[in-house]
Amino acid sequence: MSGGGPTADVSARLAWPDDAPAIVRVQLARWRESYGSIPAIEALDPDELADRWASIVTSPKDARVRLLVALERADVRGYALVHPSYDPDSDQVADGEIGDFVVDPDHQRAGHGSRLLQAAVDTLVADRFTRAVWWIGSTDDVLRQFVTESGWEPDGAHRELAGESGETLKQVRLHTSLA
């Protein structure tokens, strides 16, 4: 035994259908941290969300749609969804996207995000994408710092997404070369 002490049993892998309820738990925890306990979040049916996540794993609309999870032992601590970029200025053969990336708020700063990001990039490379893009909330300075410190840069694109109750989410697009 080395003198470094015990190490955590942590990893990242492709998600399994059985991971869906844990993914929903992480997703809802993040949304509640970001938006509070608003009626729109509380009205969501966790079983219905789990069914949607499980179907992404079992029946993706494109073979390059992949859901990954960050684990601590058998517990899901985060997830990432990667897929071809569907932006009008993207090449769906060459450009991949990190479409969703969430680490459980109670388990941040433990390396799960770094492992998950590396697994997401490795998956995009394995699917032969040569560039990756990632839309990030324009006010999410913590995530933007994490992503830019990982080698991603803004490419000048921005967008506004409209919510059901009239709010808008402003986003900026970051990119990195995978070649």
Side-chain angles (χ1 to χ4, degrees), residues 23-37:
I23 291 168
V24 171
R25 181 190 50 74
V26 170
Q27 179 181 35
L28 293 177
R30 173 70 170 120
W31 286 356
R32 287 180 180 118
E33 179 196 51
S34 297
Y35 309 114
S37 185

Side-chain angles (χ1 to χ4, degrees), residues 26-162:
V26 170
Q27 179 181 35
L28 293 177
R30 173 70 170 120
W31 286 356
R32 287 180 180 118
E33 179 196 51
S34 297
Y35 309 114
S37 185
I38 61 174
I41 293 173
E42 300 311 317
L44 295 170
D45 179 352
D47 292 333
E48 184 178 311
L49 291 172
D51 288 345
R52 288 183 191 172
W53 283 117
S55 72
I56 288 172
V57 173
T58 59
S59 306
K61 66 180 180 176
D62 182 304
R64 297 169 302 159
V65 173
R66 309 225 193 242
L67 182 60
L68 300 109
V69 290
L71 299 171
E72 183 174 355
R73 293 175 197 78
D75 297 323
V76 172
R77 299 300 189 212
Y79 67 91
L81 180 66
V82 297
H83 52 77
S85 175
Y86 303 115
D87 293 337
D89 62 342
S90 291
D91 175 344
Q92 290 184 19
V93 173
D95 298 337
E97 180 174 337
I98 295 180
D100 208 357
F101 188 93
V102 177
V103 174
D104 188 319
D106 292 335
H107 297 279
Q108 293 180 349
R109 308 252 186 259
H112 301 300
S114 296
R115 276 185 297 284
L116 193 57
L117 178 55
Q118 187 61 55
V121 168
D122 288 348
T123 301
L124 290 166
V125 168
D127 283 337
R128 301 181 187 246
F129 292 109
T130 57
R131 183 176 89 107
V133 298
W134 190 345
W135 288 97
I136 294 177
S138 63
T139 60
D140 193 340
D141 296 334
V142 172
L143 181 59
R144 185 188 310 211
Q145 180 179 356
F146 169 71
V147 175
T148 56
E149 286 176 356
S150 299
W152 297 64
E153 299 176 342
D155 69 2
H158 57 88
R159 68 182 180 189
E160 289 187 22
L161 303 176

Side-chain angles (χ1 to χ4, degrees), residues 153-171:
E153 299 176 342
D155 69 2
H158 57 88
R159 68 182 180 189
E160 289 187 22
L161 303 176
E164 292 179 10
S165 57
E167 75 283 357
T168 59
L169 173 63
K170 295 179 181 182
Q171 294 183 316

